[in-house]
Amino acid sequence: MPKSIIIDPETVFRRDTIHFSDIPVNAYGKMPQEEIETYTSEDLLSLWRDMCAIRKFESILNEIKLKGTCEGVTYNHAGPAHLSIGQEAAAVGMAFQLTPDDHIFGSHRSHGEILAKGFSAIRHISDERLLEIMKSYRDGALLRPVEKNYQGSVRSLALRFFIYGAYSEIFARETGFNRGLGGSMHAFFAPFGIYPNNAIVGGSGSIAPGAALYKRVNRKPGIVVANIGDASFGCGPVWEGITFSAMDQYRTLWDKALGGGLPIIFNCMNNFYGMGGQPLGETMGVQFIARIGAGVNQEQMHAERVNGYDPLPVIDAFRRKKQLLAEGRGPVLLDTVTYRISGHSPSDASSYRSKEEIELWQQADPIAAFRTKLTANNVATEDELSSEKADVEALISDMFRLAVDLEASPRVGPDSDLVSSVMFSNRHVELFDDRPPEFLQDLKDNPRVQQIRGKIRTPKHDGKAVPKMKAYNIRDAIFEAMLYRFSADPTMIAFGEENRDWGGAFAVYRGFTEALPYHRLFNAPISEAGIVGAAVGYALEGGRVVAELMYADFMGRAGDEIFNQLSKWQSMSAGQLVMPVVLRISVGAKYGAQHSQDWTALANHIPGLKVVFPVTPYDAKGMMNAALGGTDPVVFFESQKIYDYGEMFVEKGVPEGYYEIDLAQPSIKRKGKDVTIITFGPALYTAITAADELSTLGLAAEIIDLRTANPLDHDLLIESVRKTGKVLLVSDAVERGGVMQTVAANLTQFCFDALDAPPVVVGSRNWITPAAELEGLFFPQPAWLLDAIHERILPLKGYKPRTNQTLEELARRTRLGV
Ligand SMILES: Cc1ncc(C[n+]2csc(CCOP(=O)(O)OP(=O)(O)O)c2C)c(N)n1
Ligand SMILES: [Mg+2]
């Protein structure tokens, strides 16, 4: 149902003041004795061990990177090592409370967070389950090297397994968590609740909210922690993720039984530096990251600054904040103060900070300070602590030596097709969860479903063309495919700007508002990065999602999320994770330079995305069905010019039942023998008009609609071009660097011997898109197609060109860059 939130001017214009509450800074004030009562000695010892383990892990990397030799091993580690020496207490404090159901996302400097979370998970998981994970994870590939001749307990085996997996990943070995395809900055291990870490700093800020959304929508236990560096709070996507997480609707409009606000903690690992830039005093003005919470919602995100140089205040804060999240009062912002004693990377000359400052923080070293705390409070003796430290350090050293050994821990071979094999998952998943899908009404009663039932799905009716109002159109086709998946898969959700009450900006979703509860279809803030990022997070957790960008021109606003996140996590996980996201992107017209651009080329350029652009109802339904049944990210372009077009090509019409179209296959829309015209997008209809005129000149054009840019099976194209010997490629994208240039280049190679002339590409001018009244100068017109054929492929008898499509003109334009 549409919502009804009335804004009353009388209330809005009433004199008032905005009140803020105080934000606690280092409020933790428990005495050591009180804490000794909260924790068992073993708990406190585990914190000690974990911190020592992280320090040792990172110190080895520092040494091998700097000197090329460590622990008697000589090795050149070519990749990055962003170390967190100094940040151990913040990491173990963050992880101590978390169970494997609690998921962390992080950044390039996440080794410490990964290790702390893994150690904590190993403590939380039963021996049976640990064994199950180790044996099943990549069929025991990580387990085999560490269990050889090992007689210890399951728990210590799990520690070996985990540390080994982390080192192997960093050294790009087959035996790494992600077969070395993630590496140091992206390592993760989902079975322990460790989710992708992002080398695009702040990247987790837009993704982690989607993971929290998944938990809420699908009633899954646990919280989500987004660990983000202080300097990365300057990143737009972090703000967008926060905005997405703090929407009122979770608590005001959504079913209360779902649990309220998103269960997420934005945890700032505040070490006071970017690389060399300083948020405090230089690059930001906020002074305390915790202050940001005050601008977000009335509860100020329950923001607080805590001392992350001691694990106990951090644990205390996480315990309290987890309680808030359980009460549905998220999101939370924590400003966890720590310090990076190590450089940004081992090559860092620390030119941006003084030796004195580093020494001050070294004197306050969190590990040494904790040692003193434990001995002063009689938790353990110096000898006991030294012995614990020695044991865990020996374990780290052993696993380092094993992981660095190329024989025990090989890289994928040069002939391996591993990377190709994981770029796409290419699976079909009917449903990601087996609970019944939720609807608000019986779909038979849905007004849109009823309306569509009365529409005509064939090109002709009673021998006549179907009037627009009666034709089953592209909007209907997308609606129908999505409705099928909403009915099949309870995890399927859709969101974007104006998706709900408005009916989708272009009315595709009209009818869904009545049918679906808020948590399955909702309006997102105007946060394109937040929208696509949340879709990525939702999918990484195992749910299916359709996100929408209102105009292709807004892709830049979600650039990182489309180009680096949506596209990459399947392959960086070496196929452990899937990405069942359909990103609907509408291509505009008539709205000028910033609302009318076909940016298929941008998506097509990025490895890891499927890129389709159906332009008939039959294709739209079949391709949306395929996209929504698959497990890969599909960028699904739609054209605003033709949303209301009925089916003109498939005589039998658009089936009411379910069918899929192979996302790699182009489609012949008109048969012909003299010249092949390949189109992508609504230029299909331009080509049809041009082909009609060509036929009056005695030429039969074969028209092939590409439908997909990637993947793309060229067979049909090759067959046609070999038959005609001539090919023109047309789309509404600007001519330079477009999808058609790639196809033309490929066809030149595939069909060189059969071509009478080089393939010719006609696109829009390399301009801004001008005003609606001038669009005819910009988008390819039917005459341009004939002119291009006449000038560059086959002179047409008695034909007089109407525009200048000569090679001289092409040369002139390229010289000018227009
Ligand atoms: C989007 C993006 N911009 C810039 C960089 C380069 N870079 C890597 S680390 C870093 C500093 C990040 O500082 P902060 O977020 O405080 O994390 P820290 O390194 O202190 O852990 C920068 C600028 C990047 N990786 N990603
Ligand atoms: Mg920092």
Side-chain angles (χ1 to χ4, degrees), residues 82 87 107-109 185 198-202 228-233 235 269 271-276 279 340 344 560:
H82 299 98
Q87 302 189 185
S107 76
H108 63 297
R109 194 181 307 290
M185 294 196 284
N198 224 303
I200 304 294
V201 302
I228 298 171
D230 50 320
S232 300
F233 273 79
C235 299
M269 287 290 187
N271 59 17
F272 297 97
Y273 285 93
M275 287 167 63
R340 154 168 76 64
H344 163 69
D560 181 55

Side-chain angles (χ1 to χ4, degrees), residues 45-63 81-96 104 109-120 123 159 162-163 166-167 170 194 227 269 308 311 338-342 365-367 388-397 400:
L45 280 178
S46 74
L47 294 172
W48 164 253
R49 272 197 306 270
D50 292 358
M51 287 198 287
C52 292
I54 296 170
R55 176 70 57 95
K56 179 71 178 173
F57 187 95
E58 297 286 70
S59 300
I60 285 178
L61 285 174
N62 194 40
E63 202 168 320
H82 299 98
L83 308 177
S84 56
I85 293 172
Q87 302 189 185
E88 298 86 352
V92 302
M94 176 269 303
F96 184 80
I104 65 168
R109 194 181 307 290
S110 57
H111 299 164
E113 294 152 23
I114 295 169
L115 293 176
K117 178 70 165 82
F119 297 156
S120 160
R123 280 195 286 276
L159 285 174
F162 181 65
I163 296 163
Y167 265 140
I170 291 167
I194 305 161
N227 290 309
M269 287 290 187
T338 178
Y339 192 79
R340 154 168 76 64
I341 293 172
S342 43
D365 189 306
I367 299 183
E388 294 274 354
K389 177 169 183 274
D391 286 353
V392 79
E393 288 187 347
L395 171 62
I396 300 280
S397 298
F400 160 69

